[in-house]
Amino acid sequence: MKVLVIGGAGYIGSHVVKSLLNAGHKVTVFDNLSSGREENLFSNAGFFKGDILDPIGLAKAFQADDFEAVIHLAAFKAAGESMLKPEKYSVNNITGTINILNTMCEYDVKRIVFSSSAAVFGEPVRLPIDEDHPKNPENYYGFTKLEIERFLEWYDKLKGIKFAALRYFNAAGYDIDGEISGLEQSPANLLPVIMEAAVGMREKLQIFGNDYDTPDGTGVRDYVHVTDLAAGHVLALEYITEKNESLTVNLGSESGLSVMELLEEARKISGKEIPAQIVGRRPGDPAKLVASSALAKEKLGWTARYSDCETLIRTSWNVYKDRLNNLFE
Ligand code: UDP
């Protein structure tokens, strides 16, 4: 299939591109390289540099081929920042997605796979979290993802665009084959922060609270390996194409890891001390989030294969340890 991957130079996007290429799809990437990286581009995929806020640039990319599907991963994703700068998230995440959907209408592209998020659920009222769990986003970022899911439902009803909304839990790790190594810039997520502390790119890890109602007091999340997430996109695209029906599913590992567990495993695998300090809770952080991915298994035959603690850390360390070598060369 000819697929336009919007945000394909980013952390998750580059892994998705690799999985699509491996599955035999023809891929073109559209990315403004604001957080995506040129080094994440594949030589056997096309590339357009452009912004989803520029409908003319989008139209040019759509004119380049008879795309049969769009995968849309271009969004801001820092939950904390979204509470301080909702305008930025409204414009990029919501207006940007509307631009994409309208361009799809114009060029008659009928399939989209969209990066949604577990942030649509907010504070859990029951665990594990299945797709029917109440949706009460705790932050503006989660609100934008939920609103976009609702736009997708309307564009399906009114324009026949079939969608797969994939609610990622905590994406982590790096390409299982070690082929993708573009580091995220100024990351705020736990694992890259631990890695940056391990190689001295930052002074220490701040642990946001150790007084939660969890076994060791630190926050528990469902970390899902980015190679597993990427496989989910390919399966979802095949599903909406074959069944001609839309789909909203969770993608999680169904198991919880605490901040402390990840830190200890990272210390073990890296052999580094990794300085860490307990600080206060981060506002809006629930104690524990764990997915049910039963629906993804049932509909897509998807399960997480690489999302164990050791693989998450080892694949990340393989990328960051090279940075360590460069720092001291
Ligand atoms: N966390 C932390 N220090 C950091 C970043 C995150 O202690 O510098 C904790 C956070 O409180 C949560 C977990 O790590 O319990 C995962 O946070 P992240 O921001 O990676 O993802 P989120 O679950 O917020 O989407």
Side-chain angles (χ1 to χ4, degrees):
M1 210 180 286
K2 293 175 182 172
V3 188
L4 183 64
V5 182
I6 300 177
Y11 165 58
I12 300 176
S14 55
H15 290 82
V16 169
V17 169
K18 174 173 169 162
S19 292
L20 287 167
L21 290 170
N22 284 347
H25 296 289
K26 185 178 177 213
V27 179
T28 301
V29 168
F30 184 90
D31 200 299
N32 67 3
L33 298 180
S34 69
S35 58
R37 306 183 70 117
E38 225 157 331
E39 63 180 297
N40 281 343
L41 295 171
F42 286 80
S43 56
N44 50 345
F47 175 57
F48 270 88
K49 185 168 182 209
D51 199 301
I52 57 175
L53 297 178
D54 169 25
I56 295 168
L58 264 178
K60 272 194 193 137
F62 274 74
Q63 283 158 15
D65 211 337
D66 301 322
F67 293 110
E68 296 158 277
V70 165
I71 298 195
H72 169 29
L73 309 105
F76 292 126
K77 60 163 188 170
E81 184 194 48
S82 77
M83 299 298 277
L84 303 171
K85 298 180 184 167
E87 317 90 301
K88 178 174 165 181
Y89 283 71
S90 300
V91 171
N92 193 73
N93 294 11
I94 294 182
T95 308
T97 302
I98 291 173
N99 287 342
I100 292 170
L101 287 170
N102 289 352
T103 312
M104 288 175 67
C105 293
E106 200 180 330
Y107 290 92
D108 203 30
V109 181
K110 295 288 192 199
R111 299 176 194 99
I112 181 167
V113 178
F114 169 65
S115 306
S116 189
S117 167
V120 301
F121 297 113
E123 182 73 30
V125 296
R126 59 169 193 269
L127 291 172
I129 298 173
D130 59 20
E131 286 75 5
D132 296 329
H133 183 284
K135 280 105 201 148
N136 292 308
E138 279 272 315
N139 51 60
Y140 193 75
Y141 161 72
F143 167 78
T144 65
K145 293 286 174 179
L146 188 56
E147 285 305 285
I148 293 165
E149 287 189 3
R150 297 166 67 173
F151 287 127
L152 291 172
E153 280 162 23
W154 278 105
Y155 275 74
D156 179 353
K157 251 189 288 196
L158 303 177
K159 304 294 290 193
I161 292 178
K162 298 300 162 198
F163 67 85
L166 306 180
R167 292 181 181 145
Y168 310 156
F169 278 65
N170 289 59
Y174 269 84
D175 179 34
I176 213 80
D177 308 320
E179 204 185 337
I180 299 170
S181 58
L183 298 188
E184 286 193 87
Q185 298 166 55
S186 313
N189 290 118
L190 178 62
L191 199 43
V193 169
I194 291 177
M195 290 293 131
E196 287 198 355
V199 296
M201 289 166 76
R202 73 173 70 205
E203 194 194 334
K204 62 186 172 212
L205 164 71
Q206 293 192 314
I207 298 174
F208 298 143
N210 67 345
D211 57 352
Y212 284 104
D213 184 15
T214 59
D216 64 24
T218 62
V220 169
R221 295 288 181 277
D222 181 322
Y223 294 89
V224 53
H225 196 283
V226 66
T227 295
D228 285 329
L229 279 184
H233 290 72
V234 177
L235 292 170
L237 181 58
E238 287 166 4
Y239 179 94
I240 60 174
T241 305
E242 279 162 24
K243 305 267 184 206
N244 197 35
E245 74 181 24
S246 296
L247 176 74
T248 300
V249 284
N250 292 346
L251 295 180
S253 68
E254 303 193 310
S255 61
L257 290 169
S258 74
V259 175
M260 234 24 233
E261 281 176 298
L262 280 169
L263 175 60
E264 287 306 336
E265 185 73 16
R267 284 174 168 156
K268 203 167 91 192
I269 287 177
S270 67
K272 302 283 166 199
E273 183 204 346
I274 314 185
Q277 178 195 15
I278 313 277
V279 297
R281 292 184 179 193
R282 187 172 62 178
D285 268 358
K288 183 172 177 180
L289 293 177
V290 179
S292 162
S293 287
L295 191 67
K297 187 169 187 187
E298 180 198 321
K299 297 267 186 188
L300 305 177
W302 179 90
T303 46
R305 296 169 60 197
Y306 303 112
S307 301
D308 58 285
C309 189
E310 199 265 340
T311 308
L312 292 167
I313 302 282
R314 185 172 42 75
T315 54
S316 299
W317 179 242
N318 282 344
V319 170
Y320 277 85
K321 76 172 189 306
D322 289 343
R323 200 51 56 114
L324 180 69
N325 296 337
N326 293 342
L327 281 177
F328 293 103
E329 258 168 19

